Amino acid sequence: MIDIKKYNQDNIFSKILKKEIPSKCIFEDEFVYAFEDINPQAPIHILIIPKKSFCSLDDFSSQADELTIFSFMRSISRIAKMVNLKNGYRIISNIGFDGGQEVPHFHIHLIGGKKLGAIVSK
Ligand code: AMP
């Protein structure tokens, strides 16, 4: 099982950032990379990741510098506008084992393109 509490440069998203494995880029700037989820849960399902290495939102929000956090947060609405999510959307960040996190590089799921159902299934 992957240790999702420790950052490991071998994780899939780190490899995507290094262009070692392909991804469908939606947006990129100095701080952020956004790409299509390989297994979309809605018509639009984009993953937004910081270029710096943080395991999860928990690490990101406690350890990243203010400009990095600001730039990341700003990118969300920018990307949502770019892909025309004008009726709304949902962002999700899974954290740790109980949160269902699979990839230990902080990411936000930006999901939309239809009326979404319940946030959590029992
Ligand atoms: P999480 O469970 O929050 O860690 O989400 C990991 C997400 O990464 C899942 O929605 C996967 O479908 C997605 N994913 C895994 N591998 C890739 C990949 N190579 N390219 C794009 N998305 C991926």
Side-chain angles (χ1 to χ4, degrees):
M1 187 193 286
I2 309 166
D3 184 350
I4 36 127
K5 288 193 196 137
K6 267 199 213 131
Y7 196 82
N8 179 338
Q9 296 294 342
D10 285 339
N11 76 72
I12 298 166
F13 296 169
S14 173
K15 288 183 176 172
I16 283 176
L17 280 174
K18 289 181 274 186
K19 312 283 182 211
E20 290 172 8
I21 56 175
S23 62
K24 284 196 184 158
C25 179
I26 300 290
F27 172 82
E28 181 170 17
D29 69 11
E30 188 188 340
F31 298 96
V32 167
Y33 186 66
F35 56 101
E36 286 181 4
D37 195 293
I38 206 167
N39 183 23
Q41 303 300 309
I44 293 176
H45 187 165
I46 295 167
L47 297 169
I48 308 175
I49 67 176
K51 288 194 168 172
K52 287 188 184 165
S53 304
F54 298 95
C55 256
S56 69
L57 176 60
D58 195 58
D59 287 348
F60 183 75
S61 62
S62 59
Q63 294 165 22
D65 60 82
E66 288 176 11
L67 180 60
T68 300
I69 294 173
F70 172 83
S71 305
F72 187 87
M73 295 308 289
R74 259 295 154 82
S75 74
I76 297 171
S77 62
R78 195 169 169 190
I79 295 164
K81 280 192 187 79
M82 271 178 55
V83 297
N84 207 24
L85 286 172
K86 54 186 174 218
N87 281 337
Y89 55 90
R90 182 173 294 160
I91 59 168
I92 297 172
S93 191
N94 298 321
I95 300 162
F97 182 77
D98 279 0
Q101 184 177 2
E102 287 170 5
V103 181
H105 180 115
F106 166 46
H107 51 282
I108 277 186
H109 299 255
L110 171 63
I111 298 168
K114 69 169 189 179
K115 177 88 175 87
L116 299 169
I119 295 175
V120 177
S121 56
K122 287 183 185 168

